[in-house]
Amino acid sequence: MVIVLKPKTQREVINSLIKTIEKKGITVHETIGENYSILGLVGDTSQLNQEQFEAHDCVERAMRVQHPFKLANKLFHPEDTIIQVDDVKIGGGNKAIIAGPCSIESEEQLLTIAKAVKESGANILRGGAYKPRSSPYSFQGLGEEGLKLLKKAKELTGLPTITEAICLDTIEKVAEYADFIQIGARNMQNFALLKKAGQYNKPVVLKRGLSATMEEWLMSAEYIMAEGNHQVILCERGIRTFETYTRNTLDLSAVPVVKEMSHLPVIVDPSHAAGKWSMVEPLSKAAIAVGADGLMIEVHHEPECALSDGAQSLKPEKFNKLMKKLNAMAL
Amino acid sequence: MVIVLKPKTQREVINSLIKTIEKKGITVHETIGENYSILGLVGDTSQLNQEQFEAHDCVERAMRVQHPFKLANKLFHPEDTIIQVDDVKIGGGNKAIIAGPCSIESEEQLLTIAKAVKESGANILRGGAYKPRSSPYSFQGLGEEGLKLLKKAKELTGLPTITEAICLDTIEKVAEYADFIQIGARNMQNFALLKKAGQYNKPVVLKRGLSATMEEWLMSAEYIMAEGNHQVILCERGIRTFETYTRNTLDLSAVPVVKEMSHLPVIVDPSHAAGKWSMVEPLSKAAIAVGADGLMIEVHHEPECALSDGAQSLKPEKFNKLMKKLNAMAL
Amino acid sequence: MVIVLKPKTQREVINSLIKTIEKKGITVHETIGENYSILGLVGDTSQLNQEQFEAHDCVERAMRVQHPFKLANKLFHPEDTIIQVDDVKIGGGNKAIIAGPCSIESEEQLLTIAKAVKESGANILRGGAYKPRSSPYSFQGLGEEGLKLLKKAKELTGLPTITEAICLDTIEKVAEYADFIQIGARNMQNFALLKKAGQYNKPVVLKRGLSATMEEWLMSAEYIMAEGNHQVILCERGIRTFETYTRNTLDLSAVPVVKEMSHLPVIVDPSHAAGKWSMVEPLSKAAIAVGADGLMIEVHHEPECALSDGAQSLKPEKFNKLMKKLNAMAL
Amino acid sequence: MVIVLKPKTQREVINSLIKTIEKKGITVHETIGENYSILGLVGDTSQLNQEQFEAHDCVERAMRVQHPFKLANKLFHPEDTIIQVDDVKIGGGNKAIIAGPCSIESEEQLLTIAKAVKESGANILRGGAYKPRSSPYSFQGLGEEGLKLLKKAKELTGLPTITEAICLDTIEKVAEYADFIQIGARNMQNFALLKKAGQYNKPVVLKRGLSATMEEWLMSAEYIMAEGNHQVILCERGIRTFETYTRNTLDLSAVPVVKEMSHLPVIVDPSHAAGKWSMVEPLSKAAIAVGADGLMIEVHHEPECALSDGAQSLKPEKFNKLMKKLNAMAL
C-alpha cells in the first residue's frame, strides 16, 4: 500500500502515523518529495483498512498496490482453472456453449428448445425457473416446477444444466436440480447469497454486475471461493453506460483483462448485453475471437410469445447457423 | 404504448400484428408516416410485454408512454406520503436527520455517538449490524449483538433507529430490533429481499442502486408496496460515473425528478456518495436546498479507528456545526 | 415525431397545439388514452424543433421516430459506401489496416516504422504531426515538419497516409500532405472543423467522441457530408465508462449497430481504447470478428522512448505476429 | 510519481530502469515488497512521461502523486482568484448571476429579455451568436449580427455580456464585442481554441466537458493560463451518465472538489444539465448552497418559439421568483 501525505504535514504527525502502522507489523519506507511525501508499506497489507488511513487529517489518499483478492489471483495460482461437469470442460482452452430459453415456460417449450440446441452443438442447457424481474407485475418464473422440467430436459438430452439462484430460500433447490448455479448480475454483490453458493460442491457462474468494476467482480468470486468452493466461472454480460441504443455495453476487453488478473474461466453472454437478437451473432464471434472460454446464448422457438427477453432470443435456425460460423472460426 | 414499425413493412404483416394486440382487449390507432408507421395502443397496457413486441420482425421498437409503477406513482396518488415513527415525521415538509456510525462496533462507541448526534439535533439513529462489504476479509458487522446495542441506544436517547437488512435470513431480526429497515444500494434489485421487506409493518429506507435509473428505483419501491407495505422512503446516495475523484456522483437532480414522479419521501446520503468527510457539509446543504426530505449522515468520534467508512465520517463537533448551519437555512 | 401530452390537458389547449403544428404543413393523428394522449406527426418532421414542443406546458415529452441524419442514413442509401485511395479500398467487404506511430518524432523513427508495417501487410500509414494533448506541457507534435516526413514515407513505401487535423488553421496543410484527414475523438463535435473537413475532396476518418452516442457520431458525419464530402469513415476508439482498468471501454457493439443505421464504413482503434499494448491483439481479432471494415493500430519500435502513447504501442515484431493471426482469420 | 514494478522483475532490469530515471535528474527511492516493489520518484516529475514508463515490460503501472496542473493549482496559489468586469466581481465570496437567452434571435427578443433579467437582479447578460448544434440542419446563430445586438443590449442595460466562441475564425469577433469569452462543453478539449483564448485579456468561462474528469477540466484551464490569461472561471453544466431522465447529471460535488484543488471561481449552469425548466429552480438553490460562485441561467419570454433550448428556459416571471428565493438564502 502507498500512502500519500498532504503537503506541509508536520514531522511529528508523520512520525505518529508511522508508529501506528508499524504496530501492525508493517515496515514503512518514507519518500520525501518537494510537495508530497509518500509512505510505502511492506508486509501483509491485506489486513489493512485503506479507509482508516484516509480518515487521518494528514493523509491525501491511500492506494493499494496489490489486488485485494487472493484465491482468485493469478499471481498466486498461475495455472488456468478448468471446471468439469460430466464430459463438459470449461477453461484452459475448453469452451462451453450454454444455450436455452430465458425462462422455462412449459414442458413442450423447454424440450423443443433443448433438443434443438443440442443438435446444433450446445453442450450446456440454460433455463430460468426463478426470474429476477424489474417489475413485480412481470412473470416471475415457474419455480420448482421449472426445475423439474430442467431435470427432465437433462434426462432427455444428456446436457448438463444451469439455472439461476435468486435468493437464500431457493438456492438449495437450484443446487439439487441443476449442475451449475447461476448468480445474476443484480445479485453480484448479494454477499449472503455468494457465501451460500460457496458452500455447495457445484460450479457457480457469476455474472458481472451492471456497474461492477473488474476488481469488484473478482472480489465477489473471492467470496464464493473463501467458503471453499473454487469452481467459479465469470460471465461478462454488458455494463451500463450512457449509450442506450444497445441495452448494455458488452465489455469484451474484460475477457483479456480478467485473464491477466485471474486463473478463473471467463464466458460471455451477448444476448443480455445487446438486448436485440440481430446483435447476438456478431458479438458471439467477437467474444470467441477475444478469447472467451464460452458463450451463454438465449434461444427460443417462438420469441414473440416468450414470457421474458423475447427481443434478444435467437430462433433455433439462427442459433444453428451461428454455431456453424463459430465452428468455422475453429471454436 | 407506442410501437414503431420498420420501414416497408407489408400491409398484411401490420394487420396481423394489430389483430394480435386487439385480442388482448387493446385498441390500436395507426399513424402512417412516409417512412415509419406507428401504432398507438390504448387500454390497460401495463399488462403488455414490451419485449414480445420487439421480438416481432416488423417492429423497430416499442416505447412505454406511462411509467410502469402504479402504487408509487404520483399520477394516481397526488398527495405526499408522510411516514411517522414515534414523534418523527418524514415527508410533506417534515425532515429527518439520520445520523450515527457506519458500523456498530461496541457499546461505548455506539452510545457515545448516539448521545452526541441527539444533542446536535438528529432525530433518528443509524448504525450497521450486518455489513455488506466488497471483501470477504473485511469486518462483517457484530450481527444480532449489534442490534441489541442499537436497542439499548434507543432506550438511552429516545431516538428511533435504522439498520440495514442484508438478507432473507436476518431481516426478521432487523425488523424486531429497529424502527426502520434499510435496504442497501447493492440490494436494490434483490427482489426476494424487497418482497420480504414488503411484509413488515415498518418503514423501509430504500437506497438507490449505483447504476439504477430513477424508474428502476421506483419499480423496486413498487415491489415493497405491492406486498402491502406502503411506507417507503427513497434514499439517493450517489451513482457510479466515470468521475473517480468522488467515490460516487451524488445525483441531486434525482430529488426534484422523483418528486415529480412519485409521492414518496426522498432523503439524501452525502457520506457514501462523496467518500470524504470534507464534502459532507456542502453536499448536505445542497441536499436540503434541492428539496430533500432528510439526510443520512455518518458520524464517528474516532474515524481513524472506524472499522468501516472512516474516511467519510464526520466527527461529532463537525456534525454539530453542520446542524447549526442547516438550521440557519430554516431546515 | 410522437408528442406525449400531460395527463388532464384541456381540450382547447390540445386543439391550439394541433393548429400550431398543422400550420407547419404537418398532419396530426391523435390517440386518446386513459391517462396520456399522444399526437403522431406525419410529414417532413425533420424541420421540427423537438425542444420547442417540450417547452409547451402541456407536453410531457416529444420523441423522434426517425433518425435525424439523412445523408448518412442507410434507409435512404442501402448500398455500402466504398472509399478508395490509390489501390486501397475500405468498406463493402474491403478492409483497411492502418498502422504507424502515434506521433511522428523524426525521419528515422517514421521511416523505420513505415517500412516495418508495410512489410507486415498494413495498407495505410498513420502518424501524428499535430497532437491534441491534455497537458499544455506535453509534446505537441512536429507540425508541418512532421507532414513533410509523412509525405517522404509515402514516397518510400507507397502507402497512402493519414494524419490528424486539430484545428481550422492547420487542416489545409493536412489536406495538402496526407491522403486521409483524421478528426480526433475530442474534436468530434468541433462543428467548425467538421464543416471545413467537408469542403475537401479527401476521405475523412471520424473518431467517436468519448461520450458520444452513436446517433451523435452519425450527426457529426452528417455535418461533413452536408458540405459535399461523402467520403466518411467512422472509427470506434472506446467510450468513457466507470471502468478504469482499461483506459476506455471499446464498444464493439457499435460496429454492427452503426452498420444497421448507416452505409458508411466503420473501423476500430483498439490501441487508444485499451491504453495497453497487451490488449491490442485480442481486441483486434474481436474487431475483425464483429465485422469492422478495418483497424487503426499504433506501432513503435522503441515504445519506452515514444513521445506519446508508448504504453499502448505494439513493437513491429508483435504487429507482424498479429497480422499473421488476422490473416488466418481470413481477414 | 510512483512506479509499481511487476512481480518477479529481475534485479538488473530494475537497476537499469532506475539509471534511466536518474539520468533525468530524478532521485529514486525503492521499496521492496513481498510481491510488488515500488519506486518513489523525487524531483521535478512534471517533465516525466507516465506512458513511457508504462511501456517498459517490467512496469505494472505508474501513478502521479501531484496534480499535473500548476497555474490552476491551489497548492501554489492558495488565495481565491477574483475576476472583475466593470462593477461585477466573481470569486472570493462574490457571486455572478448570468442570465439571458440561449440564442440571440432578434433585437426585440434580446432587449426584452435583457431588461427583464436586469430588473430581477442578474448582473451579467448571456446570449449565443454562434451556436454549436448537434445537427447541421438546426439554427446556427445570427453570427456577427448577434454580437452587435449583444453590444446594444449592454449599452441599454449596463450589464456586461458573455457569448460563446466556437472556433478560431470567430473568437476575435467575440472578444471584440463581449466582456467574457465562453468556451462550450464540446470544445473543452479543443486545444487550439483554448490557446487562442489564452491570448486575450478577457475573462474566459470554461464549461466542463460532458465526460471530462475534474483533472482534465483543470488541465484545459491550464492551457488558457499557460498562454498568459489567468482570468478563468470554471462552469459545471452536467456530465453524461447512464441516467436519461435528466439530459445530463449535474455534478454539484464538483464545486467543493474543484475548490479544494484550485483557486479559480466555479459557477453552475443548471439549465443545460437538467434540460427541463422545472428543474432549474431546485438545482439553482442547491448550487448556491454547495458553494458555487454564481449561476448561468437561460431565460426566454417565449420558450415555445425559442430557436434553441426552449424546454429548459425559464420565463422572466419564473426567473424573477427564483432570484427572490436565492436572495432569501442570503445569496
Side-chain angles (χ1 to χ4, degrees), chain C residues 142-185:
Chain C
L142 294 183
E144 191 171 355
E145 184 54 33
L147 295 177
K148 288 180 182 163
L149 295 177
L150 196 62
K151 206 173 172 190
K152 192 174 272 187
K154 180 178 182 173
E155 287 161 11
L156 188 78
T157 60
L159 293 175
T161 57
I162 176 169
T163 198
E164 183 171 348
I166 60 166
C167 68
L168 292 179
D169 284 359
T170 52
I171 186 168
E172 184 68 36
K173 289 280 174 209
V174 165
E176 184 187 330
Y177 285 99
D179 297 298
F180 294 81
I181 300 168
Q182 179 179 322
I183 304 285

Side-chain angles (χ1 to χ4, degrees), chain D residues 159-179:
Chain D
L159 292 175
T161 58
I162 176 168
T163 196
E164 182 170 349
I166 61 167
C167 68
L168 292 179
D169 283 359
T170 52
I171 187 168
E172 183 68 35
K173 289 280 174 208
V174 165
E176 184 187 331
Y177 285 100
D179 297 298

Side-chain angles (χ1 to χ4, degrees), chain A residues 25 76 83 119 164 214 297 307 314 323:
Chain A
F76 308 122
I83 286 166
E119 271 168 40
E164 183 171 348
M214 299 189 220
I297 294 176
L307 295 179
L314 286 187
M323 285 301 293

Side-chain angles (χ1 to χ4, degrees), chain D residues 255-330:
Chain D
V255 176
V257 169
V258 166
K259 282 179 166 291
E260 281 188 0
M261 296 197 279
S262 179
H263 50 92
L264 297 173
V266 188
I267 65 172
V268 170
D269 171 351
S271 307
H272 278 88
K276 265 182 97 171
W277 69 262
S278 63
M279 297 294 134
V280 173
E281 181 188 310
L283 292 177
S284 295
K285 292 196 284 186
I288 293 300
V290 91
D293 296 303
L295 295 169
M296 180 179 257
I297 294 176
E298 291 189 355
V299 177
H300 200 291
H301 61 310
E302 293 174 324
E304 321 81 47
C305 304
L307 296 179
S308 59
D309 283 353
Q312 73 202 35
S313 295
L314 286 187
K315 289 191 187 170
E317 311 83 76
K318 284 191 180 120
F319 176 70
N320 191 49
K321 266 195 210 162
L322 168 61
M323 286 303 292
K324 284 186 181 148
K325 289 189 186 172
L326 293 177
N327 284 322
M329 285 175 72

Side-chain angles (χ1 to χ4, degrees), chain A residues 49 51-52 133-135 137 140 186 189-191 195 211 216 219 222-223 240 305-307 309, chain B residues 49 51-52 133-135 137 140 186 189-191 195 211 216 219 222-223 240 305-307 309:
Chain A
N49 183 332
E51 297 225 310
Q52 282 185 348
R133 303 301 299 275
S134 52
S135 166
Y137 311 122
Q140 308 269 320
R186 284 168 178 78
Q189 292 193 317
N190 181 340
F191 302 114
K195 283 182 188 170
S211 61
E216 288 170 339
M219 285 309 284
E222 189 85 6
Y223 256 98
R240 189 159 266 180
C305 304
L307 295 179
D309 284 353
Chain B
N49 183 331
E51 298 224 311
Q52 281 185 348
R133 305 300 299 275
S134 53
S135 166
Y137 311 121
Q140 309 270 319
R186 284 168 179 78
Q189 291 193 318
N190 180 340
F191 302 114
K195 284 182 187 170
S211 62
E216 288 170 338
M219 285 309 284
E222 190 83 5
Y223 255 99
R240 189 159 268 179
C305 304
L307 296 179
D309 284 352

Side-chain angles (χ1 to χ4, degrees), chain D residues 3-300:
Chain D
I3 295 177
V4 180
L5 299 172
K6 287 204 176 128
K8 294 171 197 160
T9 297
Q10 300 208 298
R11 192 64 245 166
E12 57 266 32
V13 175
I14 302 181
N15 289 346
S16 146
L17 177 60
I18 291 176
K19 255 186 212 154
T20 308
I21 300 170
E22 286 176 341
K23 268 187 204 145
K24 295 170 198 256
I26 303 289
T27 309
V28 180
H29 288 246
E30 193 177 348
T31 303
I32 301 177
E34 208 176 325
N35 297 300
Y36 290 90
S37 292
I38 66 170
L39 305 180
L41 276 53
V42 177
D44 181 13
T45 56
S46 69
Q47 36 128 341
L48 298 180
N49 183 333
Q50 187 175 343
E51 297 225 311
Q52 282 185 349
F53 291 120
E54 293 188 337
H56 283 266
D57 278 343
C58 65
V59 173
E60 179 94 6
R61 70 203 133 113
M63 304 181 277
R64 286 203 175 277
V65 166
Q66 193 164 322
H67 291 305
F69 45 89
K70 297 173 187 174
L71 300 169
N73 197 330
K74 194 163 196 166
L75 181 60
F76 308 122
H77 309 75
E79 298 288 305
D80 279 354
T81 285
I82 297 174
I83 286 165
Q84 177 160 9
V85 168
D86 301 344
D87 289 341
V88 181
K89 288 182 186 171
I90 307 168
N94 306 286
K95 296 199 193 297
I97 304 294
I98 305 170
C102 178
S103 298
I104 300 167
E105 297 166 13
S106 71
E107 178 165 344
E108 196 225 330
Q109 174 247 22
L110 182 63
L111 298 187
T112 303
I113 298 169
K115 279 185 261 179
V117 301
K118 165 147 199 188
E119 271 167 40
S120 298
N123 50 15
I124 299 173
L125 176 67
R126 64 153 289 154
Y130 303 99
K131 298 301 304 170
R133 305 300 300 274
S134 52
S135 167
Y137 311 122
S138 297
F139 175 61
Q140 308 270 320
L142 294 183
E144 189 170 357
E145 185 54 33
L147 295 177
K148 288 178 181 163
L149 296 176
L150 196 62
K151 206 172 173 189
K152 193 174 271 186
K154 180 178 183 175
E155 287 160 10
L156 188 78
T157 60
L159 292 175
T161 58
I162 176 168
T163 196
E164 182 170 349
I166 61 167
C167 68
L168 292 179
D169 283 359
T170 52
I171 187 168
E172 183 68 35
K173 289 280 174 208
V174 165
E176 184 187 331
Y177 285 100
D179 297 298
F180 294 81
I181 300 168
Q182 181 179 321
I183 305 286
R186 283 168 179 77
N187 276 319
M188 194 203 85
Q189 292 193 317
N190 180 340
F191 302 114
L193 189 61
L194 296 176
K195 283 183 188 169
K196 189 80 182 172
Q199 290 158 17
Y200 294 96
N201 183 24
K202 294 238 164 178
V204 178
V205 171
L206 177 66
K207 291 206 165 183
R208 182 180 182 185
L210 272 77
S211 62
T213 62
M214 299 189 221
E215 191 170 290
E216 288 169 340
W217 191 16
L218 284 163
M219 285 309 285
S220 287
E222 189 84 6
Y223 256 98
I224 298 168
M225 298 170 87
E227 295 289 321
N229 183 355
H230 288 210
Q231 301 176 75
V232 179
I233 297 166
L234 301 161
C235 180
E236 161 65 31
R237 46 79 71 215
I239 57 174
R240 188 158 268 181
T241 70
F242 64 84
E243 178 60 69
T244 56
Y245 199 93
T246 40
R247 188 158 59 173
N248 293 120
T249 298
L250 189 65
D251 182 9
L252 286 174
S253 320
V255 176
V257 169
V258 166
K259 282 179 166 291
E260 281 188 0
M261 296 197 279
S262 179
H263 50 92
L264 297 173
V266 188
I267 65 172
V268 170
D269 171 351
S271 307
H272 278 88
K276 265 182 97 171
W277 69 262
S278 63
M279 297 294 134
V280 173
E281 181 188 310
L283 292 177
S284 295
K285 292 196 284 186
I288 293 300
V290 91
D293 296 303
L295 295 169
M296 180 179 257
I297 294 176
E298 291 189 355
V299 177
H300 200 291

Side-chain angles (χ1 to χ4, degrees), chain B residues 47-321:
Chain B
Q47 37 129 340
L48 298 179
N49 183 331
Q50 187 175 344
E51 298 224 311
Q52 281 185 348
F53 291 120
E54 293 188 337
H56 283 266
D57 278 343
C58 65
V59 173
E60 179 93 6
R61 69 202 136 115
M63 303 183 277
R64 285 201 175 279
V65 166
Q66 193 164 322
H67 291 304
F69 45 89
K70 297 172 188 177
L71 301 169
N73 198 329
K74 193 161 197 169
L75 182 59
F76 308 122
H77 309 75
E79 297 289 304
D80 280 354
T81 285
I82 298 174
I83 285 166
Q84 178 160 10
V85 168
D86 300 344
D87 289 341
V88 180
K89 287 182 186 169
I90 308 168
N94 305 286
K95 296 198 193 297
I97 304 294
I98 305 169
C102 178
S103 298
I104 300 168
E105 297 166 13
S106 70
E107 180 165 342
E108 197 225 331
Q109 175 246 22
L110 183 62
L111 299 187
T112 303
I113 299 169
K115 280 184 262 179
V117 300
K118 167 151 197 183
E119 272 167 40
S120 298
N123 49 14
I124 300 174
L125 176 66
R126 63 153 290 153
Y130 303 100
K131 297 300 303 171
R133 305 300 299 275
S134 53
S135 166
Y137 311 121
S138 296
F139 175 61
Q140 309 270 319
L142 294 183
E144 191 171 355
E145 183 55 31
L147 295 177
K148 287 179 182 164
L149 295 176
L150 196 62
K151 206 173 173 188
K152 192 173 270 186
K154 180 179 183 174
E155 287 160 10
L156 188 78
T157 61
L159 293 175
T161 58
I162 177 169
T163 198
E164 183 171 349
I166 60 167
C167 69
L168 292 178
D169 284 359
T170 52
I171 187 169
E172 183 67 37
K173 290 280 175 209
V174 165
E176 184 187 331
Y177 285 100
D179 297 298
F180 294 81
I181 299 168
Q182 180 179 321
I183 304 285
R186 284 168 179 78
N187 276 319
M188 193 204 84
Q189 291 193 318
N190 180 340
F191 302 114
L193 188 62
L194 297 175
K195 284 182 187 170
K196 189 81 182 171
Q199 290 157 18
Y200 295 97
N201 183 23
K202 294 237 164 179
V204 177
V205 171
L206 178 66
K207 291 206 165 182
R208 182 180 183 186
L210 271 78
S211 62
T213 63
M214 298 188 221
E215 192 171 290
E216 288 170 338
W217 190 18
L218 284 163
M219 285 309 284
S220 287
E222 190 83 5
Y223 255 99
I224 298 168
M225 297 170 87
E227 296 288 322
N229 183 355
H230 288 209
Q231 301 176 75
V232 178
I233 298 165
L234 300 161
C235 180
E236 160 65 31
R237 45 78 73 214
I239 57 174
R240 189 159 268 179
T241 71
F242 64 84
E243 177 61 70
T244 55
Y245 200 92
T246 39
R247 188 158 60 172
N248 293 121
T249 298
L250 190 65
D251 182 9
L252 286 174
S253 320
V255 176
V257 170
V258 167
K259 281 179 167 291
E260 280 189 0
M261 296 197 278
S262 179
H263 51 92
L264 296 173
V266 188
I267 64 170
V268 170
D269 171 352
S271 307
H272 278 88
K276 263 182 99 173
W277 68 263
S278 62
M279 298 293 135
V280 174
E281 181 187 309
L283 293 177
S284 295
K285 292 196 284 186
I288 292 301
V290 93
D293 296 303
L295 296 169
M296 181 180 257
I297 294 176
E298 290 190 354
V299 177
H300 200 290
H301 61 310
E302 293 175 323
E304 320 81 46
C305 304
L307 296 179
S308 60
D309 284 352
Q312 73 201 35
S313 295
L314 286 187
K315 289 190 187 171
E317 312 82 74
K318 285 191 178 119
F319 177 68
N320 190 49
K321 267 194 208 163

Side-chain angles (χ1 to χ4, degrees), chain C residues 155-261:
Chain C
E155 287 161 11
L156 188 78
T157 60
L159 293 175
T161 57
I162 176 169
T163 198
E164 183 171 348
I166 60 166
C167 68
L168 292 179
D169 284 359
T170 52
I171 186 168
E172 184 68 36
K173 289 280 174 209
V174 165
E176 184 187 330
Y177 285 99
D179 297 298
F180 294 81
I181 300 168
Q182 179 179 322
I183 304 285
R186 285 169 178 76
N187 276 320
M188 194 205 84
Q189 292 193 315
N190 181 340
F191 302 114
L193 188 62
L194 297 175
K195 283 182 188 169
K196 188 82 182 171
Q199 290 157 17
Y200 294 96
N201 182 23
K202 295 238 164 178
V204 178
V205 171
L206 177 65
K207 291 205 166 185
R208 181 180 184 187
L210 271 78
S211 61
T213 63
M214 299 189 221
E215 192 171 290
E216 288 169 338
W217 190 16
L218 285 163
M219 285 309 285
S220 287
E222 190 84 6
Y223 256 100
I224 298 167
M225 298 170 86
E227 296 288 322
N229 183 355
H230 288 210
Q231 301 176 74
V232 178
I233 297 165
L234 300 162
C235 180
E236 161 65 32
R237 46 77 72 215
I239 57 174
R240 189 158 267 182
T241 70
F242 65 84
E243 177 61 69
T244 56
Y245 199 94
T246 39
R247 187 158 62 171
N248 293 120
T249 299
L250 190 65
D251 181 9
L252 286 174
S253 319
V255 176
V257 169
V258 166
K259 282 180 166 290
E260 280 188 2
M261 296 196 279

